[in-house]
């Protein structure tokens, strides 16, 4: 069986320094952790605090404007936040990156939203980062629609 790749959806906001980050995943997640699933964001503002968050049901949800800036909230609450991280790179440039090991997070947080997972369930992931000069002092990436595999 051919497994469809993760689907990118929604529109990333453009930061005050002109960065338009892109989210991606190395593979679909597995309920048994049979394969690595690393979520990434590239082209993020450098030297900013950031985190990934996810939701488990986007039924009937329309992305909504994130404060008056160019970002959209693409994941319907309730959401689960992963730990904060630094984007690295250089302040004022678009060379920051983010990474999130889905399997490690799920294994370490057995009470996290969505657990226990079942093959076929979907999860919606987006990344948030600080952008002090922006309308809400933050911005958002585009989003991922993931389908859990056996």
């Amino acid at each position: 069986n051919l497994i469809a790749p993760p689907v990118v959806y929604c529109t990333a906001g453009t930061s005050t320094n002109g960065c338009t980050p892109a989210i991606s995943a190395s593979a679909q997640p597995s309920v048994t952790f049979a394969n690595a699933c690393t979520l990434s964001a590239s082209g993020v503002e450098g030297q900013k605090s950031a985190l990934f968050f996810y939701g488990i049901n986007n039924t009937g949800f329309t992305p909504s404007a994130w404060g008056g800036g160019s970002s959209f909230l693409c994941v319907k609450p309730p959401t689960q936040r992963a730990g904060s991280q630094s984007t690295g790179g250089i302040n004022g440039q678009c060379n920051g990156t983010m990474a999130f090991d889905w399997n490690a997070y799920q294994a370490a947080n057995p009470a996290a939203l969505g657990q226990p997972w079942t093959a076929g369930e979907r999860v919606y992931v987006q990344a948030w980062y600080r952008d002090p000069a922006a309308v809400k002092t933050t911005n958002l990436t585009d989003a991922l629609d993931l389908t859990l595999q056996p």
Side-chain angles (χ1 to χ4, degrees):
N1 280 348
L2 184 63
I3 297 171
V7 176
V8 176
Y9 72 99
C10 211
T11 304
T14 302
S15 74
T16 52
N17 284 312
C19 306
T20 305
I23 196 169
S24 62
S26 62
Q28 295 282 19
S30 162
V31 296
T32 60
F33 308 135
N35 55 286
C37 177
T38 302
L39 309 178
S40 303
S42 60
V44 185
E45 289 249 352
Q47 294 300 312
K48 298 293 185 255
S49 292
L51 59 80
F52 286 92
F53 64 96
Y54 70 89
I56 56 174
N57 181 357
N58 260 18
T59 304
F61 183 66
T62 301
S64 54
W66 186 247
S70 62
S71 286
F72 287 88
L73 177 63
C74 307
V75 177
K76 178 181 172 182
T79 57
Q80 176 79 47
R81 295 180 187 181
S84 178
Q85 60 183 276
S86 172
T87 60
I90 298 170
N91 193 31
Q93 295 192 22
C94 303
N95 60 357
T97 59
M98 300 169 62
F100 176 58
D101 183 328
W102 176 265
N103 294 349
Y105 180 82
Q106 294 301 321
N109 296 279
L113 182 69
Q115 294 229 36
W117 296 101
T118 302
E121 285 184 303
R122 291 166 68 186
V123 61
Y124 306 88
V125 185
Q126 192 167 16
W128 167 99
Y129 63 96
R130 288 268 177 226
D131 184 0
V135 177
K136 287 186 82 165
T137 69
T138 60
N139 259 309
L140 299 166
T141 65
D142 45 359
L144 283 172
D145 179 345
L146 305 169
T147 303
L148 280 115
Q149 303 301 306

